């Protein structure tokens, strides 16, 4: 959880898009706090709003409602020096380094341009020296082997390292890495994740890693938190290990049970939570109440199909947006002594109140 | 009994501007009747080349430079590389169907699903439209799709998971004895991926076909395979039962792959990437192709390409002269390698 004031915050942020078929809420009432040096993973299936959330955090998309705060200042209301400071402080690393690196620029040119632009280097010589040390930092050694290469002469992993080096040219405080390892080979993902974690340890950079891959999230987020998204909303936000060991939201439980594991005995004996339906509702026609309720084996009529559950703290580092989980977990926490088998359920009115 | 598929020292090369690219080299493995074999390895290791070569759909710049592919059904063995065009057409769907990696590209985008079924059936001599329709309904039912709706749809109107199901159904149209799947769940979301895995398992039990699937995703092999072949730089470097491969690997590359893919639940153990990158297949390094990345490499590894050597487990071999060294560290316990090395 946060201590003091968080470095960057999304506060009840919603982002709508107009599509030919109507307006959709790609991100709906999302609040996230990120401390200095914190690592957080956004996970969820495709289309759940991870990229949009990342772009909102990086200030590249304006919220339809809600606020983006950086060091307590509302980014979209600040101007001048504050704006510039924010733009430098938050850097986005894309999924596909091939698309984000100019094919006709050498690695040196890619790095020198922002260095000169942001006055980190006055002369070409200084820029080259700074580029060398950045390449060293991202593990492209010896740097002189890479300065004159073009993107197509690099492997996928090397290109992603160049993208990270470019993000580092402005001494960022936050890096938003959107599927940054999804396109590189499995055999080298871990070193890229370690590189990002190293930046956090060394410079206190906060990192938001967006991934659809729970194994990546588990490794990267082992010292941080995971936010699970579903249809534009954060449905659970917990410390990684707790989320993995004991997911509270039925959707998180279903995902963790469903993911195949690279271990035959483990994967063939996993507990599963079967869903009522495989169909993901369209953002254009979201079901009323909890948008997961039509698929949820634990949904209760009259509650889950009526009221939208808010992300609610359930103790420790955890928050969950589920009426049933909130009720049960709060009741569990309230029950004292080892002999209480008949747990006194919090009555529905009360749980609605705390969830609304 | 003869294995249904026996691949013997198969080599495939592509003609490229820089010279011959040897994408598969001396690859040998068998698929027994009713068995599921997984081929694993990072991208570029030659998995797709191998799959495509098995059904002789290689592109024009490719050629099989050596080896044999034998297919046995009902006691009759055929040499796939010698089939004429007519025999090949029969073979491709009736004996052995290939479900391609990209479920969208595999379809003709401008005709509806019913026409795809009909075209495939006609091409293989099923002239009775009513029979084709019945069979399509039966198969789509089997893959848990609504036949009425799906047959009328165009490929782009279906979700990725539905397309993958349709392709599997289409693959089963002519009752093949062997289904080859190239990355059947890559690019699908977790819950969709799970549904496809469960579906394959269910179909395999119901219909009794053998399966060869190809994936860079180790977890798919852990889910479905009876036996696993690890490929590296075009070569089969380890062949083992699934539990041996995951708990008692004997090739350093298999160990590298296993440590590179963290588990979600269970202990994290010792997780690490493989240093370096795979070799250039036009001018591979001398000796063992893995030696530049291998922590156990010694001078002798550069001297010659190591053959597959039987190791300390039955029906298990590894192309590594240092497998005994590996065996000493990994042992034989039934535990994941990442945990053993922690
Ligand atoms: N610029 C846009 N215009 C219209 N719809 C968009 C736009 N960007 C994203 N969306 C939609 O918003 C939803 C969330 O998308 P995205 O944030 O990319 O999800 P994810 O990264 O989790 O896959 C999707 O339905 C997507 O189609
Ligand atoms: N049509 C082609 N022409 C030339 N080289 C090819 C062709 N198809 C694949 N290759 C090369 O063959 C090697 C093996 O590729 P592939 O069989 O696709 O591996 P995998 O499926 O394991 O990723 C790679 O080096 C790839 O670049
Ligand atoms: Mg995205
Ligand atoms: Mg392939």
């Amino acid at each position: 959880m946060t201590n003091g004031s968080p470095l960057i915050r999304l506060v009840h942020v919603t982002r709508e898009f107009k599509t030919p078929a109507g307006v959709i809420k790609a991100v709906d009432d999302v609040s996230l706090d990120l401390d200095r040096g914190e690592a957080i993973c956004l996970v969820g299936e495709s289309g759940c709003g991870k990229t949009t959330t990342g772009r909102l955090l990086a200030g590249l998309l304006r919220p339809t409602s809600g606020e983006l705060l950086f060091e307590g200042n509302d980014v979209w209301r600040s101007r001048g020096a504050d704006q510039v400071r924010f733009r430098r402080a938050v850097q986005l690393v894309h999924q596909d380094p091939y698309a984000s690196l100019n094919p006709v620029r050498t690695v040196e040119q890619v790095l020198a341009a922002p260095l000169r632009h942001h006055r980190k280097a006055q002369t070409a010589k200084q820029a080259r020296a700074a580029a060398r040390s950045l390449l060293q930092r991202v593990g492209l050694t010896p740097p002189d082997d890479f300065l004159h290469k073009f993107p197509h002469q690099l492997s996928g992993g090397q290109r992603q390292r160049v993208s990270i080096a470019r993000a580092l040219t402005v001494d960022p405080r936050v890096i938003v890495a959107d599927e940054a390892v999804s396109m590189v080979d499995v055999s080298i993902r871990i070193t890229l994740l370690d590189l990002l974690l190293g930046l956090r340890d060394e410079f206190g950079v906060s990192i938001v890693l967006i991934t659809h891959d729970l194994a990546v999230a588990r490794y990267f987020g082992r010292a941080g938190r995971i936010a699970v998204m579903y249809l534009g909303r954060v449905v659970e936000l917990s410390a990684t290990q707790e989320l993995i060991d004991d997911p509270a939201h039925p959707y998180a439980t279903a995902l963790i049970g469903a993911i195949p594991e690279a271990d035959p005995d483990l994967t063939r004996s996993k507990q599963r939570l079967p869903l009522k339906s495989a169909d993901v509702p369209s953002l254009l026609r979201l079901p009323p109440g909890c948008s997961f309720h039509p698929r949820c084996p634990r949904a209760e009529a009259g509650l889950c199909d009526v009221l939208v559950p808010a992300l609610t703290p359930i103790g420790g580092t955890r928050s969950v947006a589920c009426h049933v989980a909130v009720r049960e977990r709060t009741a569990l926490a309230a029950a004292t002594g080892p002999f209480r088998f008949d747990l006194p359920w919090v009555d529905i009115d009360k749980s609605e109140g705390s969830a609304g | 009994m003869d294995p249904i598929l026996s691949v013997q020292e198969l080599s495939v090369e592509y003609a490229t501007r820089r010279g011959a690219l040897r994408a598969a080299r001396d690859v040998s493995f068998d698929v027994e009747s009713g068995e599921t074999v997984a081929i694993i390895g990072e991208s570029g290791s030659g998995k797709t080349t191998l799959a495509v070569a098995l059904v002789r759909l290689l592109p024009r710049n490719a050629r099989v430079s050596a080896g044999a592919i034998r297919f046995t059904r009902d006691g009759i063995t055929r040499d796939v590389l010698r089939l004429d065009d007519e025999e090949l057409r029969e073979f491709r769907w009736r004996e052995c169907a290939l479900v391609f990696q990209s479920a969208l590209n595999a379809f003709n985008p401008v005709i509806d699903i019913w026409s795809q079924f009909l075209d495939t059936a006609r091409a293989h001599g099923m002239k009775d439209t009513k029979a084709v329709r019945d069979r399509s309904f039966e198969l789509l039912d089997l893959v848990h799709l609504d036949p009425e709706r799906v047959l009328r749809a165009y490929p782009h109107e279906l979700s990725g998971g539905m397309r993958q199901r349709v392709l599997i159904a289409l693959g089963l149209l002519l009752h093949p004895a062997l289904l080859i799947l190239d990355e059947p769940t890559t690019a699908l979301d977790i819950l969709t991926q799970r549904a496809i895995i469960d579906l394959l398992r269910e179909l395999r039990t119901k219909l009794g076909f053998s399966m060869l699937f190809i994936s860079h995703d180790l977890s798919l092999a852990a889910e479905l395979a009876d036996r696993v072949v690890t490929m590296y730089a075009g070569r089969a470097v380890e062949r083992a039962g699934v539990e041996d491969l995951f708990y008692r690997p004997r090739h350093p590359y298999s160990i590298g792959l296993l440590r590179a893919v963290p588990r979600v639940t269970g202990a994290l153990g010792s997780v690490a990437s493989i240093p370096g990158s795979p070799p250039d297949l036009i001018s591979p390094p001398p000796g063992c192709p893995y030696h530049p990345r291998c922590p156990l490499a010694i001078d002798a590894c550069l001297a010659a390409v190591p053959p597959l050597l039987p190791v300390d487990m039955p029906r298990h071999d590894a192309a590594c002269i240092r497998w005994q060294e590996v065996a000493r560290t990994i042992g034989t316990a039934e535990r994941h390698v990442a945990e053993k090395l922690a």
Side-chain angles (χ1 to χ4, degrees):
Chain A
M1 286 242 95
T2 56
N3 48 357
S5 89
L7 181 63
I8 189 166
R9 304 181 67 188
L10 289 176
V11 187
H12 296 294
V13 166
T14 293
R15 171 67 204 210
E16 296 177 348
F17 289 115
K18 287 200 182 66
T19 73
V23 175
I24 58 165
K25 279 185 188 166
V27 164
D28 186 8
D29 193 21
V30 165
S31 298
L32 267 184
D33 294 355
L34 194 65
D35 283 339
R36 180 177 184 280
E38 197 186 1
I40 192 166
C41 282
L42 293 186
V43 306
E45 300 186 278
S46 58
C48 70
K50 302 182 296 295
T51 293
T52 305
T53 305
R55 293 175 62 79
L56 285 161
L57 269 169
L60 298 173
L61 275 177
R62 196 175 187 130
T64 307
S65 63
E67 292 170 338
L68 169 66
L69 303 182
F70 180 70
E71 295 179 325
N73 298 320
D74 185 333
V75 170
W76 288 98
R77 290 210 191 125
S78 68
R79 36 189 108 257
D82 277 347
Q83 264 284 345
V84 172
R85 222 157 48 81
F86 171 79
R87 296 275 160 222
R88 277 195 210 172
V90 186
Q91 292 291 309
L92 192 68
V93 174
H94 289 277
Q95 164 167 23
D96 181 2
Y98 214 88
S100 68
L101 294 175
N102 188 331
V104 299
R105 294 263 178 90
T106 64
V107 170
E108 181 175 357
Q109 289 168 327
V110 164
L111 299 178
L115 285 166
R116 303 282 303 257
H117 179 79
H118 292 290
R119 308 265 146 81
K120 300 274 173 192
Q122 312 298 333
T123 65
K125 207 170 151 205
Q126 284 174 1
R128 172 171 297 190
R132 274 205 190 97
S133 82
L134 284 169
L135 289 176
Q136 196 104 39
R137 183 63 202 80
V138 298
L140 293 174
T141 53
D144 288 330
D145 286 3
F146 294 93
L147 281 174
H148 304 294
K149 290 234 161 87
F150 290 94
H152 74 267
Q153 295 171 306
L154 302 173
S155 71
Q158 290 170 340
R159 283 196 289 267
Q160 202 53 286
R161 285 170 193 269
V162 173
S163 301
I164 295 170
R166 182 178 54 185
L168 293 177
T169 53
V170 293
D171 299 327
R173 310 278 306 278
V174 180
I175 291 180
V176 178
D178 190 355
E179 302 280 4
V181 301
S182 305
M183 293 185 56
V184 305
D185 212 277
V186 284
S187 70
I188 60 163
R189 283 184 192 164
I190 296 295
T191 47
L192 276 175
L193 297 174
D194 285 345
L195 170 60
L196 289 170
L197 287 170
L199 300 176
R200 182 193 66 150
D201 296 341
E202 211 174 307
F203 309 118
V205 181
S206 309
I207 303 185
V208 182
L209 183 81
I210 294 174
T211 179
H212 67 281
D213 184 341
L214 283 179
V216 164
R218 192 272 168 100
Y219 181 77
F220 183 85
R222 63 197 188 281
R225 293 182 294 161
I226 292 184
V228 182
M229 294 188 70
Y230 183 72
L231 291 175
R233 300 178 70 94
V234 173
V235 297
E236 180 160 0
L237 176 59
S238 296
T240 299
Q241 197 59 45
E242 283 179 275
L243 181 90
I244 299 286
D245 290 344
D246 177 29
H249 197 284
Y251 179 65
T253 310
L255 278 187
I256 290 168
I259 183 110
E261 304 263 16
D263 180 332
D265 288 352
L266 180 68
T267 205
R268 295 180 194 198
S269 63
K270 260 180 133 179
Q271 293 288 321
R272 304 258 179 76
L273 182 71
L275 298 184
K276 286 199 296 200
S277 151
D279 296 329
V280 184
S282 155
L283 286 172
L284 285 164
R285 284 174 300 276
L286 281 183
C290 170
S291 49
F292 188 56
H293 90 260
R295 306 177 69 192
C296 181
R298 315 203 57 203
E300 293 175 10
L303 173 63
C304 302
D305 52 350
V306 179
L307 271 183
V308 177
L311 194 64
T312 308
I314 52 167
T317 64
R318 324 194 54 180
S319 305
V320 61
C322 168
H323 300 300
V324 178
V326 167
R327 182 181 69 213
E328 290 181 356
R329 302 228 172 199
T330 333
L332 258 179
T336 50
F339 303 114
R340 305 269 311 255
F341 286 108
D342 291 322
L343 296 177
W345 300 129
V346 176
D347 68 58
I348 294 209
D349 284 347
K350 225 160 126 199
S351 90
E352 278 177 10
S354 70
Chain B
M1 210 170 93
D2 283 329
I4 179 163
L5 176 72
S6 182
V7 178
Q8 292 160 6
E9 299 185 355
L10 190 69
S11 295
V12 179
E13 50 185 61
Y14 293 103
T16 74
R17 246 179 266 144
R18 287 170 52 228
L21 185 152
R22 286 183 277 196
R25 303 194 66 179
D26 301 331
V27 178
S28 299
F29 66 92
D30 291 344
V31 180
E32 305 287 340
S33 173
E35 192 178 49
T36 297
V37 174
I39 298 190
I40 60 172
E42 64 201 295
S43 66
S45 56
K47 305 180 300 296
T48 296
T49 301
L50 190 65
V52 172
L54 293 179
V55 289
R56 289 188 47 197
L57 283 171
L58 285 168
R60 282 205 158 162
N61 65 330
R63 75 182 183 101
V64 173
S65 52
I69 303 166
R70 292 190 210 291
F71 191 90
T72 305
R73 194 175 190 182
D74 304 328
I76 302 161
T77 298
R78 290 195 286 172
D79 182 343
V80 175
L81 294 175
R82 289 185 191 196
L83 301 179
D84 64 28
D85 287 353
E86 186 53 34
E87 291 169 323
L88 200 54
R89 216 149 47 96
E90 283 283 288
F91 170 76
R92 270 190 206 134
W93 292 79
R94 286 188 192 280
E95 310 290 2
C96 173
L98 175 61
V99 177
F100 276 103
Q101 176 161 11
S102 164
L104 190 55
N105 299 345
F107 289 108
N108 179 344
V110 299
I111 62 176
D112 63 18
I113 302 294
W114 163 240
S115 309
Q116 322 249 357
F117 273 88
L118 198 59
D119 286 358
T120 308
R122 291 235 168 97
H124 293 88
M126 280 176 80
K127 302 287 182 235
D128 179 354
T129 307
K130 169 85 171 54
V132 178
R133 195 160 183 90
D134 290 348
R135 177 78 181 141
S136 310
F137 263 69
E138 182 190 347
L139 286 167
L140 289 170
D141 237 6
L142 212 53
V143 299
H144 310 296
L145 290 173
D146 171 2
E148 292 275 4
R149 205 189 124 209
V150 167
L151 286 174
R152 261 187 276 120
Y154 286 83
H156 68 91
E157 295 173 325
L158 303 174
S159 69
M162 290 167 87
R163 281 197 295 266
Q164 195 64 39
R165 281 166 195 271
V166 172
L167 274 188
I168 292 170
L170 195 57
L172 296 171
L173 186 66
L174 296 143
H175 309 274
L178 176 68
L179 198 60
I180 303 180
L181 304 115
D182 190 0
E183 308 278 3
T185 63
T186 303
L188 298 178
D189 276 321
I190 294 171
L191 296 174
T192 316
Q193 193 180 348
R194 162 57 53 199
I196 297 291
I197 291 171
D198 290 346
L199 174 68
L200 287 171
R201 189 175 279 137
E202 180 192 331
L203 293 174
R204 180 176 66 179
T205 313
K206 262 189 205 157
L207 306 177
F209 51 79
S210 310
M211 214 157 47
L212 174 66
F213 71 85
I214 284 170
S215 186
H216 72 280
D217 183 353
L218 299 183
S219 60
L220 200 63
E223 279 280 342
L224 287 171
D226 301 310
R227 296 182 53 75
V228 182
V229 178
T230 308
M231 273 187 85
Y232 186 73
R235 294 183 182 274
V237 296
E238 183 158 14
R239 306 183 302 183
V242 68
E243 302 211 320
D244 265 16
L245 197 283
F246 280 87
Y247 304 135
R248 292 172 284 271
R250 294 296 181 248
H251 196 288
Y253 178 62
S254 299
I255 296 178
L257 276 181
L258 290 169
R259 290 180 69 192
V261 182
R263 294 176 298 173
V264 177
T265 57
L268 195 53
S270 165
V271 176
S273 285
I274 304 178
S277 45
D280 178 2
L281 297 177
I282 295 173
S283 48
C288 169
Y290 190 57
H291 87 257
R293 304 172 81 183
C294 181
L296 293 178
I298 51 175
D299 285 349
C301 299
L302 280 70
V305 176
L308 282 163
L309 303 167
V311 301
D312 55 332
M313 300 285 149
R315 289 194 75 204
H316 183 164
D317 44 30
C320 178
I321 56 172
R322 308 214 67 203
W323 71 264
Q324 278 154 314
E325 204 53 43
V326 177
R328 263 193 287 283
T329 0
I330 301 298
T332 57
E334 194 91 340
R335 262 171 67 220
H336 193 274
V337 168
E339 274 181 74
K340 288 183 181 177
L341 294 175

